[in-house]
Amino acid sequence: MRIATWNVNSIRARAARATAFLERSGTDVLAMQETKCTPAQFPAEAFEEAGYHVAVHGLNQWNGVAVASRHPILRVHDHFPGQPAFGDPAVVEARALGVVIDVSGALEGAPGSPAPAELTVWSLYVPNGRELDHPHYAYKLEWLAALRAQARGWLDADPAALVALVGDWNVAPQDQDVWDMAAFEGATHVSAPEREAFAAFAEDGWIEATRARTTNYTYWDYQRLRFPKNEGMRIDFAYASPALEARITSARIDRDERKGKGASDHVPVILDVR
DNA sequence: ATGACTGCTGAGAGCAGA
């Protein structure tokens, strides 16, 4: 089966592109970020007509996460336990959606055991951070640390679980993940604390599944001809539980989705799972 | 070419994005 993650930058502006992507790519489960709408505003019909179930979380015009799945959705979490709040008044924003999917019959059985019945996909939109001295940056680090603590518990509770932590991590973990490190002097996304917060997941056993399998940027700013000049960033990633990692056969970044009129500034990141 | 963004809200600029 095929799993993808994509920061769509408004699903209302991108619904036709999204369903076209699903059809073109053969994606079974799509995690979306920055849907920028409430559930009532979400174009669920477009996905349902294409044969997908949807789970949606959104509070207003900012953030927003969703999952579309060809397989039945069993359970939905609209935040993770301990997810930090932000703002005045502080609000737990729509940045994490955990969806448990019935994948019975869709994946291979391991030797001596039946095929797995459930896959959990978390669609994550990590806070941007804005500036290194902005409260949003501290919020970003808290958010990543809180997610790490929860996610470690998920692995401990069930080492055989198939879990994917996918989305827009808003961190460029390595220097080659931006086109020019000099352009990011003093900026967010490349700072040591952010990179350490991202790398910490690997210390707990999560495996970032795209790094070893594909190379490309996943984001190009709309401004200053960043895409024509290929001045991008690699900030969308997929951390897999060990049991899921063992089933991943390939990964791909759909750079072509950035082309043409009406593109999101991010492109889909795709995993094939057996 | 010393330039060159997009989406949302609400009706005009301002915020957010990274």
Side-chain angles (χ1 to χ4, degrees):
Chain A
M1 68 179 293
R2 191 158 284 163
I3 303 171
T5 181
W6 186 16
N7 178 322
V8 294
N9 186 16
S10 171
I11 193 56
R12 286 180 288 174
R14 219 77 64 206
R17 275 231 185 209
T19 51
F21 163 74
L22 288 171
E23 184 171 355
R24 178 176 77 248
S25 65
T27 293
D28 299 294
V29 178
L30 174 63
M32 291 168 273
Q33 303 86 38
E34 275 210 272
T35 50
K36 290 186 169 178
C37 66
T38 63
Q41 296 170 313
F42 191 96
E45 319 72 37
F47 290 88
E48 287 159 0
E49 285 166 13
Y52 293 79
H53 310 273
V54 291
V56 172
H57 183 42
L59 301 175
N60 48 41
Q61 71 270 41
W62 293 300
N63 315 306
V65 277
V67 172
S69 172
R70 279 174 161 156
H71 304 290
I73 294 172
L74 301 173
R75 300 185 293 282
V76 178
H77 307 275
D78 67 5
H79 67 286
F80 60 84
Q83 183 177 328
F86 184 77
D88 185 16
V91 172
V92 176
E93 298 176 312
R95 293 181 176 275
L97 186 70
V99 175
V100 183
I101 297 164
D102 176 0
V103 293
S104 51
L107 297 173
E108 295 177 3
S113 62
E118 294 185 357
L119 164 71
T120 300
V121 174
W122 280 91
S123 179
L124 304 169
Y125 180 42
V126 176
N128 170 293
R130 300 182 188 168
E131 310 290 339
L132 295 181
D133 60 357
H134 194 285
H136 210 258
Y137 178 77
Y139 169 52
K140 180 180 194 173
L141 295 179
E142 284 170 26
W143 204 95
L144 285 165
L147 176 61
R148 180 201 179 184
Q150 281 304 314
R152 185 197 301 127
W154 300 334
L155 289 187
D156 291 345
D158 184 1
L162 303 183
V163 185
L165 311 179
V166 304
D168 177 359
W169 290 77
N170 267 322
V171 178
Q174 300 181 12
D175 287 358
Q176 68 264 29
D177 296 333
V178 298
W179 78 93
D180 178 10
M181 276 299 289
F184 287 82
E185 183 77 34
T188 59
H189 294 66
V190 299
S191 73
E194 287 165 276
R195 287 177 166 181
E196 287 160 11
F198 181 84
F201 287 78
E203 296 169 20
D204 298 337
W206 296 96
I207 299 112
E208 203 293 299
T210 69
R211 172 75 65 190
R213 297 182 171 97
T214 186
T215 303
N216 221 328
Y217 298 131
T218 64
Y219 163 89
W220 296 261
D221 198 305
Y222 288 124
Q223 303 188 57
R224 284 173 268 193
L225 297 176
R226 292 300 189 208
F227 184 60
K229 293 154 100 173
N230 197 31
E231 296 177 344
M233 303 173 72
R234 188 172 188 174
I235 54 178
D236 299 87
F237 294 100
Y239 266 119
S241 64
L244 178 61
E245 162 66 21
R247 292 173 171 275
I248 296 173
T249 57
S250 67
R252 164 171 99 76
I253 293 168
D254 185 12
R255 187 180 189 282
D256 287 347
E257 179 53 46
R258 185 65 179 78
K259 297 177 179 175
K261 197 171 179 64
S264 170
D265 41 5
H266 295 250
V267 294
V269 176
I270 304 161
L271 300 174
D272 278 321
V273 182
R274 68 180 169 206

